[in-house]
Amino acid sequence: DIQMTQSPSSLSAFVGDRVTITCRASQSISTYVNWYQQKPGKAPNLLIYGATTLQSGVPSRFSGSGYGTDFTLTISSLQPGDFATYYCEQSYNRPPYTFGQGTRLEIK
Amino acid sequence: EVQLMQSGAEVKKPGESLKISCEAFGDNLTNHWIGWVRQMPGKGLEWMAIVFPGDFETRYRPSFEGQVIVSVDKSINTAYLQWSSLKASDTGMYYCASSVSSRDGADYWGQGTLVTVSS
């Protein structure tokens, strides 16, 4: 199995801050990384696929980058609705794929 | 756009069997892969198994192989996740998720089915 390690596991930030979440794969996975947002009591929501492509309807303040083993999700200016848990997912191998352990983003 | 509607919450005893469902609206499941994700209380997401479109081949994460069975009834556009003998450790939220391309992430999700296994 390809392991996905996210950092940090949690962080606190202010509305308006720029935030970056990192995901590291245990082997090279090209650009086969997807990012999800999950709010409490809700199903996950796909934000970014293929490391950099914004899913339709997702605000442009979200962006993704990376290749190989290191990937980032950036939120350029945090909004109140962005406080949630974020997961990366590798889609390199045949499915079922693996998620990172999640990063909980809280209001400071 | 596809909507996935899951069956309601379940409370079961250890050793009991259970089958939960995920009905698709808006498109035919023969055009989509569909998978199941477990989220244990307070924990992260884990893919359990996936069913491929067309021939409905199934693949399981090794830790779930032999523990659950996933299936699709294409006549009613519904996917299923079933257990033959539940354990307390099966307690959690179970989501179905789907997309046309599995590599581009799951863009359709059910609302989740909470399964509680307790004596």
Side-chain angles (χ1 to χ4, degrees), chain A residues 1 32 34 36 38 42-44 46 49 55 87 89 91-99 101, chain B residues 39 43-50 52 57 59-61 95 102-107 109-110:
Chain A
D1 255 9
Y32 292 106
N34 311 309
Y36 297 85
Q38 186 182 31
K42 299 293 187 184
L46 179 65
Y49 61 92
Q55 174 71 353
Y87 294 91
E89 174 202 43
S91 56
Y92 180 77
N93 281 354
R94 283 199 82 193
Y97 301 129
T98 46
F99 292 100
Q101 79 277 19
Chain B
Q39 188 166 38
K43 301 299 184 184
L45 306 171
E46 301 173 87
W47 281 108
M48 301 172 68
I50 186 170
F52 291 95
E57 176 195 355
R59 281 180 58 86
Y60 296 85
R61 175 169 302 290
Y95 295 100
S102 65
R103 282 190 133 169
D104 291 342
D107 47 0
W109 290 75

Side-chain angles (χ1 to χ4, degrees), chain B residues 2 11 23 26 32 59-61 67 69 82 96 98 107 109 112 118:
Chain B
V2 172
V11 180
E23 186 174 4
H32 294 255
R59 281 180 58 86
Y60 296 85
R61 175 169 302 290
Q67 307 303 309
I69 295 174
Q82 65 183 87
C96 61
S98 182
D107 47 0
W109 290 75
S118 174

Side-chain angles (χ1 to χ4, degrees), chain A residues 47-99:
Chain A
L47 298 176
I48 287 169
Y49 61 92
T52 60
T53 304
L54 210 59
Q55 174 71 353
S56 176
V58 174
S60 58
R61 63 180 180 274
F62 291 92
S63 64
S65 65
Y67 181 90
T69 60
D70 295 313
F71 302 89
T72 59
L73 172 70
T74 299
I75 310 171
S76 61
S77 177
L78 274 173
Q79 300 301 300
D82 298 338
F83 292 93
T85 300
Y86 293 85
Y87 294 91
C88 62
E89 174 202 43
Q90 67 81 15
S91 56
Y92 180 77
N93 281 354
R94 283 199 82 193
Y97 301 129
T98 46
F99 292 100

